Amino acid sequence: MTTTFPPTAGPPESLDTAGTARPPQATVETVHASSARPLAAAGTSVGVREMPSTVRPPSPAGTLPADTAQAPSPAGTLPADTAQAPAPAEGPHAHTAQPPTPAVSPHVATAPTLDPVDAHHARVDLLPAQRRGPDTAPPPVGVEPAVVVRFAVLGDSLSEGVGDRVDGAWRGWAALLADGLGGPAQRVEFRNLALSGAQSQEVAEQQAPAAVAFRPDLASVVVGVNDTLRHTFDIARLARRLDRVCADLSASGAVLLTACLPDPGRMLGLPAPLARPLARRQKAVNALVHAVSDRYDAVHLHLADAQWTDDRSLWSADRLHPGERGHRAIAARFHSLLAARGLAHGTPPSPEPEQPPPTRAEAALWLATAGTGWVVRRCHDLLPQLLHLAGSELRHWAGGTGARLDRRAEHALSAALAAVSLDVPVATMGE
């Protein structure tokens, strides 16, 4: 079933100093998890209004307010405000008494209370037609406020933007896509919760609750590679976590974005005995992602195809993360799939890089620092188990029983899918 946003209202207009109407542009508010600032509700300014003039300050006990109190009248006469004025007194010093000045009421301010989530959403900048102070005229009849499109991003370093550095910070495909989601009458709120090194456990326990509270219209969930690079890899646990995350986001009204990924062993060019166990794990993860994507009608992108993995111009020096060209290609492809569903209304990102590619010296420096650190961490975590798996791989290869390892992985995958009620045929893990 195709999910669409609410009908887009006609574009609101604002006036410049010359009085000429100009259409507003879509705006994007960005919050990035890597900024290490906690996600907290922000306040909002509230206009002060004046209460009706009948509201007066309280009068002393036993008396009437100053503007309604009447002087006592002699018996048989009319009240002071209806009695006839007396004839002027005679004599040179005669004068007329002045009536008392009525009391002036102060302004009364009222401010409604917002819950934390509403207060956070009220913090964002508004389009020009919505920036109205208490003395500004209301918008013209028939002009509706901008439609808000919320986009949440969950995952690891791929979604964080590693490989696409702009002004000293990671940008990535998700930020490029966010810039092209909104139309003229839409405002995009973009929140990137992805963090480098995140596994499915961090996504399920930390990122997903924050994303659900954000109430996104779109939510990308791309995770699993880091799980395959740990000695604790368990396809059954991954299936439960991924299904729970997607179920919660889908129930909140979000359209999901998912992707299957190339296996890291092939991308790193590892020897066959080391690469095959990693490839088997990644194929199982991709088969799981396909099944979950079908269940929740996700917008799914194939990134394990040869056209992605064989084009080295799309990848950064570490061969695990896309470069700017690769991030732009991912963003453009997602934009095309969303536009086909009527979920992207802005300009698609350009496929051509804007930043110069890193020099060989810069790539070598990165590999010698961050790349070496990654290898050291994996040596303590994955390498001992990977060497054990490689030994098993060689023994089965020598005995001509290598197919047993594939069948064992396929049965584990089928059991994991059945545990979350995904009744699919025994996976062949062909991708």
Side-chain angles (χ1 to χ4, degrees):
M1 181 181 65
T2 301
T3 306
T4 59
F5 292 122
T8 303
E13 295 184 351
S14 60
L15 298 179
D16 57 21
T17 55
T20 305
R22 62 175 185 271
Q25 301 296 322
T27 59
V28 179
E29 179 200 334
T30 303
V31 178
H32 204 291
S34 61
S35 61
R37 292 193 298 267
L39 299 177
T44 179
S45 59
V46 180
V48 175
R49 64 184 178 91
E50 183 178 356
M51 297 296 287
S53 59
T54 55
V55 178
R56 303 298 187 197
S59 302
T63 64
L64 295 174
D67 55 352
T68 58
Q70 308 295 332
S73 304
T77 64
L78 296 174
D81 56 351
T82 57
Q84 300 295 325
E90 297 181 357
H93 301 291
H95 65 276
T96 303
Q98 300 297 326
T101 303
V104 179
S105 64
H107 290 178
V108 179
T110 60
T113 301
L114 301 179
D115 64 44
V117 174
D118 289 338
H120 175 79
H121 295 318
R123 174 178 62 84
V124 301
D125 290 337
L126 302 179
L127 290 172
Q130 294 176 291
R131 296 193 188 105
R132 296 195 298 270
D135 298 326
T136 306
V141 177
V143 175
E144 297 293 336
V147 175
V148 177
V149 179
R150 298 186 180 96
F151 178 28
V153 178
L154 296 79
D156 51 31
S157 55
L158 172 68
S159 297
E160 184 186 15
V162 173
D164 180 28
R165 185 177 293 278
V166 178
D167 296 330
W170 300 125
R171 178 181 56 183
W173 67 266
L176 292 166
L177 175 61
D179 289 338
L181 289 177
Q186 292 180 320
R187 184 177 79 251
V188 178
E189 293 179 19
F190 168 57
R191 180 162 297 170
N192 195 335
L193 301 167
L195 285 175
S196 181
Q199 301 178 57
S200 59
Q201 182 176 359
E202 286 84 6
V203 172
E205 296 178 359
Q206 300 171 20
Q207 298 179 20
V212 171
F214 180 54
R215 298 179 297 182
D217 300 288
L218 297 172
S220 69
V221 183
V222 182
V223 66
V225 170
N226 287 316
D227 290 74
T228 68
L229 296 175
R230 300 297 193 276
H231 75 279
T232 55
F233 175 75
D234 186 327
I235 191 63
R237 281 200 300 262
L238 178 59
R240 291 193 298 271
R241 292 166 181 165
L242 184 60
D243 184 67
R244 188 177 78 213
V245 169
C246 292
D248 291 346
L249 288 168
S250 181
S252 72
V255 176
L256 300 176
L257 281 67
T258 61
C260 55
L261 302 172
D263 73 87
R266 178 182 178 185
M267 298 302 298
L268 291 172
L270 297 179
L274 296 175
R276 285 197 189 103
L278 292 180
R280 200 175 285 115
R281 289 182 175 187
Q282 189 59 50
K283 288 178 180 179
V285 171
N286 287 342
L288 168 63
V289 170
H290 278 287
V292 173
S293 299
D294 289 342
R295 164 177 277 183
Y296 297 103
D297 193 24
V299 177
H300 181 73
L301 182 59
H302 296 271
L303 293 180
D305 295 344
Q307 62 176 336
W308 294 97
T309 58
D310 295 344
D311 187 353
R312 290 299 180 182
S313 69
L314 299 175
W315 299 89
S316 63
D318 65 2
R319 296 188 179 186
L320 282 177
H321 301 97
E324 181 185 357
R325 185 183 295 276
H327 279 285
R328 287 185 172 276
I330 295 173
R333 183 57 182 155
F334 264 130
H335 187 281
S336 176
L337 294 174
L338 289 169
R341 291 200 186 190
L343 302 177
H345 305 281
T347 304
S350 170
E352 295 303 320
E354 296 175 349
Q355 308 294 323
T359 64
R360 290 186 178 182
E362 291 171 337
L365 178 62
W366 190 94
L367 289 173
T369 55
T372 301
W374 182 87
V375 171
V376 170
R377 290 190 297 272
R378 294 292 77 75
C379 286
H380 286 288
D381 181 13
L382 175 66
L383 187 58
Q385 186 191 37
L386 189 58
L387 291 175
H388 173 75
L389 294 174
S392 178
E393 198 80 30
L394 288 172
R395 288 194 301 272
H396 280 280
W397 176 80
T401 58
R404 292 182 183 177
L405 297 176
D406 293 333
R407 288 196 296 270
R408 188 182 303 169
E410 290 171 356
H411 286 303
L413 171 63
S414 296
L417 295 176
V420 292
S421 301
L422 286 168
D423 296 327
V424 297
V426 175
T428 59
M429 301 191 302
E431 186 178 277

